[in-house]
Each structure stands twice: as structure tokens, then as C-alpha cells.
Amino acid sequence: MTTWNVPSPTSTYARLRVTDPDRWLAAASAWRRWAALAGALAAEFGPLTTRLRSSWSGTAVAAASAAFAGFRRRIALFRVLCWRADQALSELAASLARARELLRRAQGRATSAGLVIDSSGTVHSPRNNAHATMTEVTADLSAALEIAARADAQAASRLTAISAATGLGANEAGRGPGANEAGRAVQPDCTTGPIQVKSWWDGLTQAERNWLLATDPAALASTRGIPAADRDVANRLLLDDHRAALDHRLDRATDAAVRNQLRGLRDGLDELTARLDDDSGLRAYLMGVDLGGDGRAVVALGDPDRASHVLTHVPGMTSDLESLGSELTRAGRVAQRAAELAPDQATSAVLWLDYDAPDFLHEANSSRQAREGAAELRRFQEDLRATHDGEPAHQTVLGHSYGSLVTGLAAAGPLAADDMVLVGSPGTGVDSADRFSVPADRVWASTSRTDVIQYASVSPKSLLQDLPVAGVLPGIGPVLAFGVPERDLWFGRNPSDPGFGAQVFASQEDAGHLGYWDPGRPALDALARITVGQKPVTFGQDPITRP
């Protein structure tokens, strides 16, 4: 009998076999509920103070107001700690789920090959013939146990820090690197780069960081260089204020169009809040939210600062806060499939809706909003590099529809991305993949034959060429002119055309404009493979992808 030992503690293997990651998710959910309850309690202090001031003007009111303000700060600090515990437990659950997937894969391979995994995690071959399958099984077991052990240690460290955290008085906060004479932490100004901000933030103690988040979340919620987990806490603290401000605007609005826009923002904010409390997928990290215009948001599924692979999903036309749910679903499907393909490495998918996406066709005919968005996208990708823990992550930027133009214009300059993906594109602002800062062999494109974008977004030159054909040949002319994918689109050459120079990957013929994320279909598999650094199925010189 051949025996291979897995170089990991037997106790870890025994725990992994019986653990249920959903129990950790339930515990994380409980911490989020406590944060919500504390927020509801804190919200009562404002109206109470107002009522007291309206009925009395003596020193007692001033003292009561000061006491209420102090209570609110400490309640905010309690909420910070609740969300930190939620983050730690959610990430532990995600890691254990990946480890369990590796364990199931090892068990399946072992069963198929006639191998035996005993209760200590040792792999046996009853036929005394070691072979390649035993190597694969042992590798999967070792990776699973390493992930589980590392996740356990990280969660223990983070939870211990939370247990040790204590509230700081206002004059105590910020003592340490970068503090002024009053003892308050001196925050970098808006011209400071993300690397310098991250260095300043790391120089503070955990207690100082917690207190700053609790007392001044607005100053940190969108600051470049602040880690995703900390920005998540700051933005969650601000959600109640956002909702109250939105309701106030809605109450005062009289114009019907304005009221409809505000209702859309409120619906989007409600959907965002619901997703932040959802346990059905990777934990959501709220990295930014803006209620101006049609609303913007940046939401990561899984902590991008701790992931080995990070996908940035850039949506297209009509994307706004109200449509955030559907875009998050698409990003989440890529992350889920990526976890199935590469369970040994963590993947985070970020929905980046931090530009003013066009609402109407006349806006989509201009590249102005894409150019403005491209500059912001470059900064965001740079920020991901600056705040990431450990070895740099493999970063992928995926642009869909008008979002592919944003992505293309961003990649025309320095873009912190290892791979870029263009799907359902109206053109990218350039006519060749070698015009991007991302190497051409790492530029991927796909357009389904049923995607209307390639027929509706033709270039003026192509349109002038097609019209005579449509008129000269009755019946078949329009089919020949407008029923064939165009090479030249409104914003440049079709990136799925072989002359563009991108790597064209498979997408199902019936995908239309939104079906690239349909579960179990070729396009989604390709997007996930690119995200984790694997090569998808490609079609050499085929101008438009086929299943």
C-alpha cells in the first residue's frame, strides 16, 4: 500500500470536514443587526436634543446636549466594532467555503481513482501504485488545510484586536504618528497620494483608526489610500444620514421630474442597503456612495485588499444607483464562477459605478462622459494597488457596452490592470489593441452575434457604405447591409474584429446585449477564467465570437 501524508495538522483536517461556513455567516449577520439596532438608538438623540432646546435654554440643556453627543460618538464606535467583527467572520466563512470546495474536489478525485483518505487526512493507494491522481489529491488537501489554518489565524487576530479595543476620549484620539498639539490625528489633505495616505493610516493604532471612523466618517469614506474594509465602515455609518437627507429633499421637492429622480435614488439606496445585509454571496464592501445626479456607488464583493484576484466591473449606458442591483448580480456571478475555478485563491469583484453614465442616446453618442470616467477609473485602479495587502493582486478591468469605452480610454493611458475585457462594445476610442497600456495578448473581447450594439452603433462611414447596398438590392439588400456585424463602430474598430488585435473569446450566440453573465454559459465561464488568470476558449480569426 502506498501512503502519502498531507503536511498539515490532523486537527485542522478534522475540523474542516465537519465545519459549516454558514454558521460563521450567521454570526456575522448578528453583528450587522446589532450595528443596525445601535444606529436606530443613536438616531433618537437628535430629535430629543431638539425638543429639549425648544422647551428650555438653561445650562442643563447644554449639558444634556453634550452628554447625548458623547453617547452618539460611543454608539458610533460600537457600530464600528460590530462591522469589524462582521468583516472578520464573513471573510473567515468565505475562506472556509473555498477550503471545503478543495476538500470536496480532493475527495471526488480520490473516489474516482480508488484512493482512500483516512480520518487523519492521509491519502492511501490500496493497490500500492502511486500515480498522478494521488499527487493532485494531496495538493488539493494541502491547499485546503493551509487556507483553513491561515483563515483561522487571521480571524483570531482580528477578533482579538476588536476585543481589546476601547473607546477613546476626544482629546485622546489620534495620538501617535501625524498628531497635532491637541492630540488629534492630522489627516492628509486632498493632494496626498494613496500610497502616502495608506502609510499614514497604517501608522495609527487600531484604536485611533476606530475613533476617527466613528467621529469623522465623511472625511474617510472616499479618501484614496484608505483600505476597503475601513471605507466600508465609514460609508455604512453615513447611510442613515444619506437616507435622511434624501427624504428631506423628497419632502421639499414639488417638480414631478425631480420627485421621480429622488424616488429612484431612494429605491436604489434601499436596494443597496438590502444587498449590504445579504448573506447569499460574498460580503459586500461599500467603498463609496454619492447621491448626486442619478447616484453613484462602488461596491466590492469580497475584500479586494485581501484577494489574489480583483475584477473591476465597469457598467454602461443607463447605469445608476437604481440599477445597481442587476449590475451587482452580474459581478457576483463572475466572482462565484471564479471561486469554482480557482478555490485555492480568493477573488473579489468590484462594481465600479463612479462615473456619470449616459442616460440617453444623444449622450451615448459622445465620448465626454467616458473620458471623465476614464480618469476616475485610472485613479481607482491605482488605489487598489496602493491598499492591497501582501503580494500585488492580479487585477482585471471589465467594461461592458459604454463602459468598454470608459475602459478603453483609461487603458489608452497608464492603467493598473493585468488584463482587460471588452464585451458588447460600441468601440473603445482606439483602432488597435496595441494602443493600450495593457499588453495586446492580455486584452480580451467578445460580442454575441445577437448583440444589437454592433448593428446600432455603426460608424458614420459604415452607415454611408451600407445605405446604398440596402437600397440597390430589394429584399436581400437590408440583410446584407445591416444584418452583418460591423467592423467599424461609432467609437472605433470593433474590438471583437480580428483586425483589432484582441484575444476574442467565446460567447453564446443568443446572449443579446446582457446575456454574457447567464449562468452556465460560455461567456460567463470565459469572464471568470480571465479574472483568475486562466486562458478561456478563443477563436483565432473569427471576427465575431461563436459558441
Side-chain angles (χ1 to χ4, degrees):
M1 175 181 289
T2 302
T3 300
W4 286 28
N5 292 310
V6 177
S8 297
T10 300
S11 58
T12 302
Y13 175 74
R15 291 197 302 269
L16 185 59
R17 288 177 61 196
V18 299
T19 192
D20 181 3
D22 286 345
R23 294 188 178 183
W24 293 106
L25 287 177
S29 179
W31 283 103
R32 287 198 300 276
R33 287 197 302 273
W34 293 331
L37 290 172
L41 176 62
E44 296 182 7
F45 286 119
L48 181 59
T49 301
T50 301
R51 290 196 296 270
L52 289 175
R53 288 185 181 279
S54 66
S55 62
W56 190 258
S57 59
T59 56
V61 171
S65 297
F68 290 154
F71 290 151
R72 290 190 68 179
R73 286 194 294 271
R74 281 159 177 77
I75 290 175
L77 179 59
F78 171 74
R79 299 182 79 193
V80 168
L81 298 178
C82 285
W83 283 316
R84 289 211 183 279
D86 160 33
Q87 290 171 348
L89 295 175
S90 294
E91 293 302 323
L92 173 60
S95 294
L96 292 177
R98 291 190 295 112
R100 291 270 299 172
E101 180 61 29
L102 281 168
L103 179 60
R104 282 192 291 269
R105 190 167 77 179
Q107 291 170 334
R109 285 176 170 173
T111 300
S112 298
L115 304 176
V116 176
I117 305 175
D118 66 21
S119 59
S120 68
T122 302
V123 185
H124 304 276
S125 176
R127 303 186 185 93
N128 291 318
N129 58 332
H131 44 70
T133 302
M134 180 172 279
T135 303
E136 294 174 349
V137 170
T138 304
D140 279 348
L141 283 175
S142 296
L145 299 184
E146 180 182 352
I147 290 171
R150 183 170 62 248
D152 180 68
Q154 290 175 345
S157 176
R158 295 171 73 176
L159 294 170
T160 298
I162 294 169
S163 298
T166 58
L168 296 175
N171 291 330
E172 296 176 77
R175 288 209 178 119
N180 62 17
E181 292 182 359
R184 299 289 294 179
V186 180
Q187 299 180 24
D189 61 34
C190 61
T191 64
T192 307
I195 294 177
Q196 290 74 29
V197 171
K198 178 64 161 52
S199 177
W200 164 77
W201 189 250
D202 288 344
L204 302 175
T205 66
Q206 184 65 64
E208 290 166 345
R209 291 193 290 267
N210 289 341
W211 187 254
L212 283 174
L213 287 168
T215 56
D216 198 6
L220 302 169
S222 58
T223 298
R224 302 180 63 198
I226 300 296
D230 298 306
R231 288 176 63 172
D232 171 64
V233 169
N235 279 292
R236 286 175 184 254
L237 275 172
L238 294 172
L239 279 179
D240 291 338
D241 293 339
H242 288 319
R243 188 174 292 102
L246 194 56
D247 287 343
H248 179 70
R249 290 168 59 191
L250 189 56
D251 290 340
R252 294 173 62 88
T254 57
D255 182 80
V258 173
R259 289 184 62 83
N260 285 336
Q261 182 186 46
L262 293 175
R263 288 194 190 98
L265 285 172
R266 181 57 196 263
D267 290 344
L269 193 62
D270 288 344
E271 187 166 4
L272 171 61
T273 302
R275 180 59 186 88
L276 293 176
D277 290 331
D278 188 359
D279 289 330
S280 62
L282 292 171
R283 186 192 189 275
Y285 289 76
L286 183 57
M287 299 180 66
V289 62
D290 182 352
L291 298 184
D294 293 326
R296 305 182 184 189
V298 179
V299 183
L301 302 178
D303 188 346
D305 293 333
R306 296 172 180 268
S308 299
H309 304 282
V310 180
L311 171 73
T312 301
H313 174 98
V314 184
M317 179 180 169
T318 71
S319 298
D320 54 23
L321 192 62
E322 191 173 5
S323 67
L324 177 136
S326 58
E327 295 294 347
L328 264 180
T329 296
R330 296 182 184 111
R333 286 175 179 173
V334 179
Q336 180 181 357
R337 179 59 181 147
E340 294 169 355
L341 292 169
D344 55 323
Q345 296 177 314
T347 297
S348 171
V350 184
L351 169 60
W352 185 84
L353 178 51
D354 199 16
Y355 80 106
D356 181 21
D359 294 317
F360 305 101
L361 284 176
H362 72 272
E363 294 178 334
N365 286 336
S366 168
S367 64
R368 178 186 62 81
Q369 288 157 279
R371 293 186 183 280
E372 294 172 354
E376 293 298 326
L377 180 57
R378 285 195 202 104
R379 283 189 280 269
F380 179 74
Q381 290 298 114
E382 180 185 355
D383 295 349
L384 288 177
R385 287 276 192 240
T387 59
H388 194 269
D389 290 339
E391 293 295 320
H394 168 244
Q395 294 189 173
T396 302
V397 179
L398 186 161
H400 173 235
S401 192
Y402 193 85
S404 71
L405 177 61
V406 177
T407 302
L409 293 175
L415 181 66
D418 301 292
D419 287 273
M420 61 182 289
V421 188
L422 311 163
V423 293
S425 177
T428 63
V430 302
D431 290 324
S432 175
D434 60 15
R435 300 286 299 276
F436 295 137
S437 56
V438 177
D441 64 347
R442 307 297 290 274
V443 178
W444 308 86
S446 187
T447 303
S448 169
R449 286 189 178 276
T450 54
D451 192 332
V452 69
I453 196 78
Q454 62 200 320
Y455 309 107
S457 185
V458 299
S459 69
K461 175 183 175 182
S462 295
L463 184 61
L464 290 175
Q465 293 172 343
D466 290 340
L467 287 175
V469 175
V472 170
L473 299 173
I476 194 173
V479 176
L480 293 175
F482 302 111
V484 178
E486 293 288 349
R487 296 176 184 274
D488 296 311
L489 300 178
W490 191 261
F491 294 110
R493 192 157 195 167
N494 190 334
S496 294
D497 182 80
F500 186 81
Q503 308 300 306
V504 181
F505 64 89
S507 63
Q508 57 274 19
E509 189 168 339
D510 60 350
H513 192 55
L514 298 175
Y516 300 99
W517 293 269
D518 287 351
R521 305 301 295 277
L524 177 61
D525 187 76
L527 295 176
R529 289 185 183 280
I530 295 167
T531 297
V532 297
Q534 299 178 11
K535 184 176 175 61
V537 176
T538 56
F539 296 104
Q541 296 300 308
D542 191 342
I544 302 295
T545 59
R546 293 197 297 259

